[in-house]
Amino acid sequence: MANEQERAYFKRYKEDVETRGKPFHPWAMFHDTVMSLVVVSVIVALACVWYFTSGEEAGESGILGPRYTEEADPGTTSFIPRPDWYFFFLFYLLRIFKWPESVVLGTVGIPTIALILLFALPFMDRRRERRIVRRPVALVGALLVIASMGILTYKGATAEESLASENVELVDEWVQEQGLSEEGEQGATLFAQSGCQSCHTYLGSGSANLGAPDLSDIGASGQSAEELAAYVANPAEFGNQVMPAYASLGEENLMLLGTFLAESTGEGGGE
Ligand code: HEC
């Protein structure tokens, strides 16, 4: 039955083409050629605007952004990679799916399923109806896809992107384990936000780089909060040429950091 309908439709379509249709050559070809020319011209024009309004200097921005940005620093330990905006939605998916349990689902699974659905669509939806309001499933599906990509892009764009934001969530845990005072807790938050953990590990979080020691039990070394604050302010004075100076945090913050470090006496060191 459906076949008969399809055949009838196809016949009608052929007749339509005969009576009202325009041949591919030259109509469609001309149409495509003009459109391609327009697209290429727009790209060339944008490239010209970008090039001729930007300067030779790094970071000197024109209407469409700078020609060169700052040179890459291969030695950096605090660089936070960000994708271009049109990948924010995928990027945010990565934050929803946690490493390592479900990350394969987020990075490979969902995009693959979406692509397979897209490929399968012409085989699943064989109806002739083209008016979008008569195709509620397709309409709702498309709206949902657009909406979820929009929301994910927005979330990705506004997500506070740093090693810090994840580490700050650990502060409560640290307070518990180390039995930190209120000042120690403020120091812990600073510690989590200041990028210390791109070199130092602390109670299993952060990454060990450039030979920096684990600081979970630094308080057991017998150094006072003042001494530790002074160390963090100017590590070079203590023979540490690797760690950056944090004097710019200000005396008050340094003391909070020092207090936190002095109270960190090791895993299970709390009450
Ligand atoms: C670029 C890497 C790096 C960063 C970022 C860094 N440190 Fe360090 N830190 C080191 C290294 C390397 C050492 C060990 C130096 C040595 O042993 O001579 C060290 C040593 C220390 C020590 C002395 C440890 C001891 O055994 O006495 C303390 C305390 C310390 N860091 C605290 C901090 C704090 C707090 C921050 C953040 C505000 C921070 N560090 C950020 C690399 C870093």
Side-chain angles (χ1 to χ4, degrees), residues 112-159:
T112 307
I113 291 170
L115 263 182
I116 291 175
L117 279 179
L118 208 57
F119 268 114
L121 196 59
F123 303 100
M124 295 184 327
D125 185 0
R126 304 283 302 271
R127 286 181 311 143
R128 307 286 169 187
E129 187 57 62
R130 292 182 67 184
R131 262 158 301 185
I132 188 75
V133 285
R134 297 242 186 112
R135 304 179 57 192
V137 177
L139 180 63
V140 171
L143 286 180
L144 279 180
V145 168
I146 292 170
S148 54
M149 281 176 77
I151 291 169
L152 285 173
T153 300
Y154 174 78
K155 298 279 281 181
T158 53

mmCIF file of all heavy atoms in Angstrom, residues 112-159:
data_model
loop_
_atom_site.group_PDB
_atom_site.id
_atom_site.type_symbol
_atom_site.label_atom_id
_atom_site.label_comp_id
_atom_site.label_asym_id
_atom_site.label_seq_id
_atom_site.Cartn_x
_atom_site.Cartn_y
_atom_site.Cartn_z
ATOM 1 N N THR A 112 28.783 10.171 18.585
ATOM 2 C CA THR A 112 28.615 9.072 17.624
ATOM 3 C C THR A 112 27.147 8.705 17.476
ATOM 4 O O THR A 112 26.639 8.534 16.364
ATOM 5 C CB THR A 112 29.412 7.830 18.077
ATOM 6 O OG1 THR A 112 30.766 8.226 18.314
ATOM 7 C CG2 THR A 112 29.381 6.748 17.024
ATOM 8 N N ILE A 113 26.447 8.614 18.614
ATOM 9 C CA ILE A 113 25.015 8.302 18.553
ATOM 10 C C ILE A 113 24.282 9.366 17.747
ATOM 11 O O ILE A 113 23.450 9.056 16.880
ATOM 12 C CB ILE A 113 24.426 8.209 19.986
ATOM 13 C CG1 ILE A 113 24.996 6.966 20.685
ATOM 14 C CG2 ILE A 113 22.907 8.141 19.938
ATOM 15 C CD1 ILE A 113 24.684 6.918 22.172
ATOM 16 N N ALA A 114 24.634 10.640 17.981
ATOM 17 C CA ALA A 114 23.971 11.723 17.262
ATOM 18 C C ALA A 114 24.229 11.607 15.763
ATOM 19 O O ALA A 114 23.318 11.796 14.951
ATOM 20 C CB ALA A 114 24.468 13.072 17.792
ATOM 21 N N LEU A 115 25.454 11.277 15.384
ATOM 22 C CA LEU A 115 25.782 11.145 13.967
ATOM 23 C C LEU A 115 25.049 9.974 13.329
ATOM 24 O O LEU A 115 24.530 10.094 12.213
ATOM 25 C CB LEU A 115 27.287 10.942 13.806
ATOM 26 C CG LEU A 115 28.081 12.202 13.476
ATOM 27 C CD1 LEU A 115 29.543 11.877 13.297
ATOM 28 C CD2 LEU A 115 27.532 12.857 12.207
ATOM 29 N N ILE A 116 24.994 8.847 14.050
ATOM 30 C CA ILE A 116 24.295 7.677 13.509
ATOM 31 C C ILE A 116 22.820 8.009 13.303
ATOM 32 O O ILE A 116 22.234 7.688 12.264
ATOM 33 C CB ILE A 116 24.460 6.461 14.458
ATOM 34 C CG1 ILE A 116 25.908 5.982 14.423
ATOM 35 C CG2 ILE A 116 23.522 5.335 14.056
ATOM 36 C CD1 ILE A 116 26.211 4.861 15.400
ATOM 37 N N LEU A 117 22.228 8.718 14.283
ATOM 38 C CA LEU A 117 20.830 9.117 14.145
ATOM 39 C C LEU A 117 20.645 9.983 12.909
ATOM 40 O O LEU A 117 19.674 9.835 12.167
ATOM 41 C CB LEU A 117 20.378 9.877 15.393
ATOM 42 C CG LEU A 117 19.990 9.015 16.583
ATOM 43 C CD1 LEU A 117 19.578 9.897 17.756
ATOM 44 C CD2 LEU A 117 18.840 8.085 16.202
ATOM 45 N N LEU A 118 21.595 10.890 12.677
ATOM 46 C CA LEU A 118 21.510 11.780 11.534
ATOM 47 C C LEU A 118 21.570 10.992 10.229
ATOM 48 O O LEU A 118 20.819 11.250 9.288
ATOM 49 C CB LEU A 118 22.662 12.783 11.607
ATOM 50 C CG LEU A 118 22.427 14.143 10.965
ATOM 51 C CD1 LEU A 118 21.204 14.805 11.565
ATOM 52 C CD2 LEU A 118 23.647 15.017 11.154
ATOM 53 N N PHE A 119 22.475 9.997 10.178
ATOM 54 C CA PHE A 119 22.586 9.145 8.994
ATOM 55 C C PHE A 119 21.304 8.345 8.801
ATOM 56 O O PHE A 119 20.846 8.132 7.677
ATOM 57 C CB PHE A 119 23.759 8.164 9.150
ATOM 58 C CG PHE A 119 25.037 8.693 8.584
ATOM 59 C CD1 PHE A 119 26.112 8.976 9.401
ATOM 60 C CD2 PHE A 119 25.159 8.907 7.211
ATOM 61 C CE1 PHE A 119 27.294 9.473 8.874
ATOM 62 C CE2 PHE A 119 26.337 9.406 6.675
ATOM 63 C CZ PHE A 119 27.410 9.688 7.510
ATOM 64 N N ALA A 120 20.722 7.871 9.913
ATOM 65 C CA ALA A 120 19.577 6.972 9.833
ATOM 66 C C ALA A 120 18.288 7.728 9.527
ATOM 67 O O ALA A 120 17.308 7.126 9.085
ATOM 68 C CB ALA A 120 19.438 6.212 11.143
ATOM 69 N N LEU A 121 18.302 9.039 9.723
ATOM 70 C CA LEU A 121 17.075 9.825 9.622
ATOM 71 C C LEU A 121 16.324 9.623 8.306
ATOM 72 O O LEU A 121 15.117 9.367 8.319
ATOM 73 C CB LEU A 121 17.402 11.302 9.853
ATOM 74 C CG LEU A 121 16.194 12.178 10.146
ATOM 75 C CD1 LEU A 121 15.488 11.668 11.400
ATOM 76 C CD2 LEU A 121 16.632 13.620 10.337
ATOM 77 N N PRO A 122 17.004 9.676 7.149
ATOM 78 C CA PRO A 122 16.263 9.500 5.883
ATOM 79 C C PRO A 122 15.621 8.124 5.779
ATOM 80 O O PRO A 122 14.641 7.955 5.059
ATOM 81 C CB PRO A 122 17.343 9.665 4.810
ATOM 82 C CG PRO A 122 18.480 10.324 5.478
ATOM 83 C CD PRO A 122 18.415 9.957 6.926
ATOM 84 N N PHE A 123 16.176 7.134 6.486
ATOM 85 C CA PHE A 123 15.603 5.792 6.417
ATOM 86 C C PHE A 123 14.471 5.619 7.425
ATOM 87 O O PHE A 123 13.579 4.815 7.229
ATOM 88 C CB PHE A 123 16.686 4.740 6.671
ATOM 89 C CG PHE A 123 17.829 4.861 5.701
ATOM 90 C CD1 PHE A 123 19.005 5.493 6.066
ATOM 91 C CD2 PHE A 123 17.709 4.377 4.398
ATOM 92 C CE1 PHE A 123 20.051 5.623 5.169
ATOM 93 C CE2 PHE A 123 18.745 4.507 3.497
ATOM 94 C CZ PHE A 123 19.920 5.135 3.878
ATOM 95 N N MET A 124 14.533 6.369 8.517
ATOM 96 C CA MET A 124 13.494 6.242 9.539
ATOM 97 C C MET A 124 12.277 7.070 9.177
ATOM 98 O O MET A 124 11.146 6.635 9.347
ATOM 99 C CB MET A 124 14.030 6.695 10.898
ATOM 100 C CG MET A 124 15.145 5.795 11.399
ATOM 101 S SD MET A 124 15.754 6.208 13.043
ATOM 102 C CE MET A 124 15.610 7.957 13.144
ATOM 103 N N ASP A 125 12.506 8.268 8.671
ATOM 104 C CA ASP A 125 11.396 9.161 8.371
ATOM 105 C C ASP A 125 11.168 9.175 6.867
ATOM 106 O O ASP A 125 11.798 9.915 6.140
ATOM 107 C CB ASP A 125 11.712 10.568 8.900
ATOM 108 C CG ASP A 125 10.523 11.482 8.721
ATOM 109 O OD1 ASP A 125 9.489 11.012 8.202
ATOM 110 O OD2 ASP A 125 10.626 12.655 9.103
ATOM 111 N N ARG A 126 10.214 8.298 6.402
ATOM 112 C CA ARG A 126 10.016 8.175 4.958
ATOM 113 C C ARG A 126 8.812 8.954 4.481
ATOM 114 O O ARG A 126 8.416 8.846 3.329
ATOM 115 C CB ARG A 126 9.833 6.684 4.603
ATOM 116 C CG ARG A 126 10.938 5.769 5.052
ATOM 117 C CD ARG A 126 12.134 5.902 4.137
ATOM 118 N NE ARG A 126 11.778 5.593 2.745
ATOM 119 C CZ ARG A 126 11.832 4.375 2.227
ATOM 120 N NH1 ARG A 126 12.206 3.362 2.968
ATOM 121 N NH2 ARG A 126 11.499 4.171 0.966
ATOM 122 N N ARG A 127 8.222 9.756 5.361
ATOM 123 C CA ARG A 127 7.015 10.452 4.934
ATOM 124 C C ARG A 127 7.355 11.572 3.961
ATOM 125 O O ARG A 127 8.475 12.063 3.925
ATOM 126 C CB ARG A 127 6.282 11.009 6.149
ATOM 127 C CG ARG A 127 5.583 9.906 6.952
ATOM 128 C CD ARG A 127 4.865 10.500 8.124
ATOM 129 N NE ARG A 127 5.761 11.397 8.829
ATOM 130 C CZ ARG A 127 5.362 12.526 9.385
ATOM 131 N NH1 ARG A 127 4.115 12.894 9.293
ATOM 132 N NH2 ARG A 127 6.216 13.280 10.025
ATOM 133 N N ARG A 128 6.344 11.962 3.178
ATOM 134 C CA ARG A 128 6.579 12.989 2.164
ATOM 135 C C ARG A 128 6.356 14.379 2.714
ATOM 136 O O ARG A 128 6.648 15.358 2.059
ATOM 137 C CB ARG A 128 5.633 12.775 0.977
ATOM 138 C CG ARG A 128 5.690 11.390 0.412
ATOM 139 C CD ARG A 128 6.959 11.212 -0.373
ATOM 140 N NE ARG A 128 7.143 9.804 -0.705
ATOM 141 C CZ ARG A 128 8.245 9.334 -1.278
ATOM 142 N NH1 ARG A 128 9.235 10.146 -1.570
ATOM 143 N NH2 ARG A 128 8.351 8.066 -1.535
ATOM 144 N N GLU A 129 5.777 14.439 3.870
ATOM 145 C CA GLU A 129 5.398 15.735 4.423
ATOM 146 C C GLU A 129 6.635 16.596 4.637
ATOM 147 O O GLU A 129 7.602 16.152 5.236
ATOM 148 C CB GLU A 129 4.673 15.527 5.764
ATOM 149 C CG GLU A 129 4.092 16.783 6.350
ATOM 150 C CD GLU A 129 3.116 17.448 5.390
ATOM 151 O OE1 GLU A 129 2.098 16.833 5.055
ATOM 152 O OE2 GLU A 129 3.397 18.597 4.986
ATOM 153 N N ARG A 130 6.599 17.796 4.115
ATOM 154 C CA ARG A 130 7.768 18.658 4.287
ATOM 155 C C ARG A 130 7.482 19.843 5.194
ATOM 156 O O ARG A 130 8.406 20.430 5.729
ATOM 157 C CB ARG A 130 8.252 19.154 2.925
ATOM 158 C CG ARG A 130 8.822 18.019 2.102
ATOM 159 C CD ARG A 130 9.340 18.503 0.783
ATOM 160 N NE ARG A 130 10.504 19.373 0.946
ATOM 161 C CZ ARG A 130 11.101 19.986 -0.067
ATOM 162 N NH1 ARG A 130 10.632 19.863 -1.274
ATOM 163 N NH2 ARG A 130 12.147 20.738 0.149
ATOM 164 N N ARG A 131 6.200 20.199 5.332
ATOM 165 C CA ARG A 131 5.903 21.350 6.190
ATOM 166 C C ARG A 131 6.291 21.028 7.632
ATOM 167 O O ARG A 131 5.852 20.017 8.186
ATOM 168 C CB ARG A 131 4.419 21.712 6.104
ATOM 169 C CG ARG A 131 4.169 22.847 5.137
ATOM 170 C CD ARG A 131 2.758 22.846 4.672
ATOM 171 N NE ARG A 131 2.430 21.569 4.010
ATOM 172 C CZ ARG A 131 1.286 21.336 3.423
ATOM 173 N NH1 ARG A 131 0.347 22.262 3.400
ATOM 174 N NH2 ARG A 131 1.042 20.176 2.832
ATOM 175 N N ILE A 132 7.068 21.896 8.197
ATOM 176 C CA ILE A 132 7.687 21.600 9.482
ATOM 177 C C ILE A 132 6.651 21.468 10.596
ATOM 178 O O ILE A 132 6.802 20.624 11.476
ATOM 179 C CB ILE A 132 8.760 22.664 9.814
ATOM 180 C CG1 ILE A 132 9.552 22.273 11.044
ATOM 181 C CG2 ILE A 132 8.185 24.047 9.974
ATOM 182 C CD1 ILE A 132 10.544 21.168 10.801
ATOM 183 N N VAL A 133 5.539 22.233 10.524
ATOM 184 C CA VAL A 133 4.556 22.155 11.615
ATOM 185 C C VAL A 133 3.803 20.833 11.601
ATOM 186 O O VAL A 133 3.211 20.442 12.595
ATOM 187 C CB VAL A 133 3.533 23.309 11.563
ATOM 188 C CG1 VAL A 133 4.169 24.588 12.049
ATOM 189 C CG2 VAL A 133 2.973 23.467 10.167
ATOM 190 N N ARG A 134 3.836 20.135 10.463
ATOM 191 C CA ARG A 134 3.171 18.830 10.407
ATOM 192 C C ARG A 134 4.125 17.715 10.807
ATOM 193 O O ARG A 134 3.816 16.541 10.640
ATOM 194 C CB ARG A 134 2.677 18.572 8.981
ATOM 195 C CG ARG A 134 1.643 19.577 8.522
ATOM 196 C CD ARG A 134 0.348 18.875 8.222
ATOM 197 N NE ARG A 134 -0.608 19.811 7.640
ATOM 198 C CZ ARG A 134 -1.026 19.742 6.395
ATOM 199 N NH1 ARG A 134 -0.591 18.774 5.605
ATOM 200 N NH2 ARG A 134 -1.886 20.612 5.929
ATOM 201 N N ARG A 135 5.299 18.048 11.229
ATOM 202 C CA ARG A 135 6.278 17.030 11.618
ATOM 203 C C ARG A 135 6.729 17.290 13.053
ATOM 204 O O ARG A 135 7.848 17.737 13.289
ATOM 205 C CB ARG A 135 7.469 17.075 10.674
ATOM 206 C CG ARG A 135 7.067 16.915 9.217
ATOM 207 C CD ARG A 135 8.250 16.978 8.299
ATOM 208 N NE ARG A 135 9.247 15.974 8.653
ATOM 209 C CZ ARG A 135 10.476 15.964 8.167
ATOM 210 N NH1 ARG A 135 10.867 16.896 7.335
ATOM 211 N NH2 ARG A 135 11.326 15.040 8.535
ATOM 212 N N PRO A 136 5.807 17.047 14.003
ATOM 213 C CA PRO A 136 6.077 17.443 15.395
ATOM 214 C C PRO A 136 7.321 16.778 15.977
ATOM 215 O O PRO A 136 8.073 17.432 16.706
ATOM 216 C CB PRO A 136 4.809 17.022 16.140
ATOM 217 C CG PRO A 136 4.150 16.027 15.252
ATOM 218 C CD PRO A 136 4.507 16.380 13.852
ATOM 219 N N VAL A 137 7.545 15.505 15.636
ATOM 220 C CA VAL A 137 8.694 14.812 16.241
ATOM 221 C C VAL A 137 9.996 15.461 15.781
ATOM 222 O O VAL A 137 10.875 15.782 16.577
ATOM 223 C CB VAL A 137 8.678 13.309 15.885
ATOM 224 C CG1 VAL A 137 9.901 12.620 16.459
ATOM 225 C CG2 VAL A 137 7.410 12.659 16.399
ATOM 226 N N ALA A 138 10.087 15.684 14.454
ATOM 227 C CA ALA A 138 11.288 16.312 13.913
ATOM 228 C C ALA A 138 11.460 17.714 14.487
ATOM 229 O O ALA A 138 12.569 18.127 14.845
ATOM 230 C CB ALA A 138 11.204 16.366 12.392
ATOM 231 N N LEU A 139 10.327 18.429 14.575
ATOM 232 C CA LEU A 139 10.387 19.804 15.071
ATOM 233 C C LEU A 139 10.893 19.844 16.505
ATOM 234 O O LEU A 139 11.829 20.575 16.834
ATOM 235 C CB LEU A 139 8.997 20.441 14.996
ATOM 236 C CG LEU A 139 8.903 21.887 15.477
ATOM 237 C CD1 LEU A 139 9.741 22.788 14.604
ATOM 238 C CD2 LEU A 139 7.462 22.355 15.503
ATOM 239 N N VAL A 140 10.270 19.012 17.359
ATOM 240 C CA VAL A 140 10.682 18.997 18.768
ATOM 241 C C VAL A 140 12.132 18.545 18.885
ATOM 242 O O VAL A 140 12.928 19.119 19.632
ATOM 243 C CB VAL A 140 9.750 18.078 19.596
ATOM 244 C CG1 VAL A 140 10.296 17.874 20.996
ATOM 245 C CG2 VAL A 140 8.355 18.685 19.669
ATOM 246 N N GLY A 141 12.490 17.500 18.099
ATOM 247 C CA GLY A 141 13.874 17.011 18.134
ATOM 248 C C GLY A 141 14.856 18.107 17.782
ATOM 249 O O GLY A 141 15.844 18.317 18.488
ATOM 250 N N ALA A 142 14.557 18.822 16.690
ATOM 251 C CA ALA A 142 15.477 19.872 16.251
ATOM 252 C C ALA A 142 15.577 20.976 17.305
ATOM 253 O O ALA A 142 16.675 21.449 17.633
ATOM 254 C CB ALA A 142 15.009 20.453 14.920
ATOM 255 N N LEU A 143 14.419 21.371 17.869
ATOM 256 C CA LEU A 143 14.429 22.434 18.874
ATOM 257 C C LEU A 143 15.240 22.000 20.100
ATOM 258 O O LEU A 143 16.009 22.787 20.658
ATOM 259 C CB LEU A 143 13.006 22.805 19.287
ATOM 260 C CG LEU A 143 12.232 23.623 18.245
ATOM 261 C CD1 LEU A 143 10.832 23.952 18.756
ATOM 262 C CD2 LEU A 143 12.983 24.904 17.898
ATOM 263 N N LEU A 144 15.057 20.738 20.499
ATOM 264 C CA LEU A 144 15.792 20.240 21.670
ATOM 265 C C LEU A 144 17.295 20.259 21.418
ATOM 266 O O LEU A 144 18.073 20.648 22.286
ATOM 267 C CB LEU A 144 15.341 18.822 22.020
ATOM 268 C CG LEU A 144 14.041 18.732 22.819
ATOM 269 C CD1 LEU A 144 13.703 17.280 23.099
ATOM 270 C CD2 LEU A 144 14.166 19.508 24.126
ATOM 271 N N VAL A 145 17.688 19.824 20.199
ATOM 272 C CA VAL A 145 19.122 19.824 19.885
ATOM 273 C C VAL A 145 19.678 21.240 19.934
ATOM 274 O O VAL A 145 20.709 21.512 20.560
ATOM 275 C CB VAL A 145 19.377 19.180 18.494
ATOM 276 C CG1 VAL A 145 20.805 19.432 18.041
ATOM 277 C CG2 VAL A 145 19.111 17.689 18.556
ATOM 278 N N ILE A 146 18.951 22.179 19.281
ATOM 279 C CA ILE A 146 19.428 23.560 19.252
ATOM 280 C C ILE A 146 19.493 24.130 20.666
ATOM 281 O O ILE A 146 20.478 24.749 21.068
ATOM 282 C CB ILE A 146 18.513 24.425 18.360
ATOM 283 C CG1 ILE A 146 18.668 23.986 16.899
ATOM 284 C CG2 ILE A 146 18.863 25.904 18.503
ATOM 285 C CD1 ILE A 146 17.647 24.599 15.978
ATOM 286 N N ALA A 147 18.426 23.866 21.451
ATOM 287 C CA ALA A 147 18.388 24.414 22.805
ATOM 288 C C ALA A 147 19.509 23.842 23.659
ATOM 289 O O ALA A 147 20.197 24.572 24.379
ATOM 290 C CB ALA A 147 17.031 24.128 23.450
ATOM 291 N N SER A 148 19.719 22.522 23.566
ATOM 292 C CA SER A 148 20.744 21.944 24.438
ATOM 293 C C SER A 148 22.137 22.408 24.012
ATOM 294 O O SER A 148 22.987 22.679 24.863
ATOM 295 C CB SER A 148 20.652 20.416 24.463
ATOM 296 O OG SER A 148 20.693 19.907 23.164
ATOM 297 N N MET A 149 22.350 22.562 22.691
ATOM 298 C CA MET A 149 23.646 23.070 22.271
ATOM 299 C C MET A 149 23.831 24.519 22.721
ATOM 300 O O MET A 149 24.918 24.919 23.130
ATOM 301 C CB MET A 149 23.814 22.957 20.759
ATOM 302 C CG MET A 149 24.173 21.541 20.337
ATOM 303 S SD MET A 149 24.274 21.332 18.564
ATOM 304 C CE MET A 149 25.840 22.076 18.220
ATOM 305 N N GLY A 150 22.751 25.281 22.655
ATOM 306 C CA GLY A 150 22.822 26.674 23.111
ATOM 307 C C GLY A 150 23.161 26.751 24.590
ATOM 308 O O GLY A 150 24.051 27.502 24.996
ATOM 309 N N ILE A 151 22.459 25.958 25.397
ATOM 310 C CA ILE A 151 22.687 25.994 26.840
ATOM 311 C C ILE A 151 24.108 25.528 27.154
ATOM 312 O O ILE A 151 24.819 26.155 27.946
ATOM 313 C CB ILE A 151 21.651 25.116 27.566
ATOM 314 C CG1 ILE A 151 20.265 25.755 27.460
ATOM 315 C CG2 ILE A 151 22.042 24.938 29.034
ATOM 316 C CD1 ILE A 151 19.132 24.862 27.915
ATOM 317 N N LEU A 152 24.536 24.436 26.496
ATOM 318 C CA LEU A 152 25.886 23.922 26.761
ATOM 319 C C LEU A 152 26.945 24.948 26.336
ATOM 320 O O LEU A 152 27.947 25.124 27.028
ATOM 321 C CB LEU A 152 26.114 22.600 26.021
ATOM 322 C CG LEU A 152 25.410 21.385 26.620
ATOM 323 C CD1 LEU A 152 25.562 20.181 25.722
ATOM 324 C CD2 LEU A 152 25.974 21.064 28.008
ATOM 325 N N THR A 153 26.702 25.632 25.213
ATOM 326 C CA THR A 153 27.655 26.661 24.770
ATOM 327 C C THR A 153 27.730 27.776 25.807
ATOM 328 O O THR A 153 28.811 28.222 26.180
ATOM 329 C CB THR A 153 27.222 27.232 23.404
ATOM 330 O OG1 THR A 153 27.198 26.177 22.461
ATOM 331 C CG2 THR A 153 28.187 28.315 22.929
ATOM 332 N N TYR A 154 26.556 28.196 26.291
ATOM 333 C CA TYR A 154 26.531 29.259 27.292
ATOM 334 C C TYR A 154 27.252 28.812 28.565
ATOM 335 O O TYR A 154 28.088 29.541 29.108
ATOM 336 C CB TYR A 154 25.082 29.634 27.610
ATOM 337 C CG TYR A 154 24.970 30.616 28.748
ATOM 338 C CD1 TYR A 154 25.230 31.964 28.548
ATOM 339 C CD2 TYR A 154 24.640 30.172 30.035
ATOM 340 C CE1 TYR A 154 25.158 32.866 29.592
ATOM 341 C CE2 TYR A 154 24.559 31.063 31.085
ATOM 342 C CZ TYR A 154 24.812 32.410 30.854
ATOM 343 O OH TYR A 154 24.756 33.284 31.907
ATOM 344 N N LYS A 155 26.949 27.585 29.006
ATOM 345 C CA LYS A 155 27.588 27.088 30.223
ATOM 346 C C LYS A 155 29.101 26.984 30.027
ATOM 347 O O LYS A 155 29.883 27.309 30.918
ATOM 348 C CB LYS A 155 27.042 25.700 30.600
ATOM 349 C CG LYS A 155 25.560 25.680 30.914
ATOM 350 C CD LYS A 155 25.249 26.123 32.308
ATOM 351 C CE LYS A 155 25.513 25.028 33.312
ATOM 352 N NZ LYS A 155 25.184 25.457 34.674
ATOM 353 N N GLY A 156 29.497 26.503 28.840
ATOM 354 C CA GLY A 156 30.918 26.379 28.551
ATOM 355 C C GLY A 156 31.609 27.729 28.527
ATOM 356 O O GLY A 156 32.740 27.868 28.984
ATOM 357 N N ALA A 157 30.904 28.748 28.009
ATOM 358 C CA ALA A 157 31.502 30.077 27.896
ATOM 359 C C ALA A 157 31.652 30.726 29.263
ATOM 360 O O ALA A 157 32.590 31.471 29.510
ATOM 361 C CB ALA A 157 30.650 30.957 26.984
ATOM 362 N N THR A 158 30.706 30.447 30.176
ATOM 363 C CA THR A 158 30.739 31.135 31.462
ATOM 364 C C THR A 158 31.369 30.275 32.556
ATOM 365 O O THR A 158 31.559 30.750 33.668
ATOM 366 C CB THR A 158 29.310 31.525 31.905
ATOM 367 O OG1 THR A 158 28.502 30.350 31.856
ATOM 368 C CG2 THR A 158 28.719 32.581 30.994
ATOM 369 N N ALA A 159 31.678 29.013 32.235
ATOM 370 C CA ALA A 159 32.256 28.134 33.253
ATOM 371 C C ALA A 159 33.572 28.716 33.736
ATOM 372 O O ALA A 159 34.388 29.157 32.928
ATOM 373 C CB ALA A 159 32.491 26.747 32.673
#
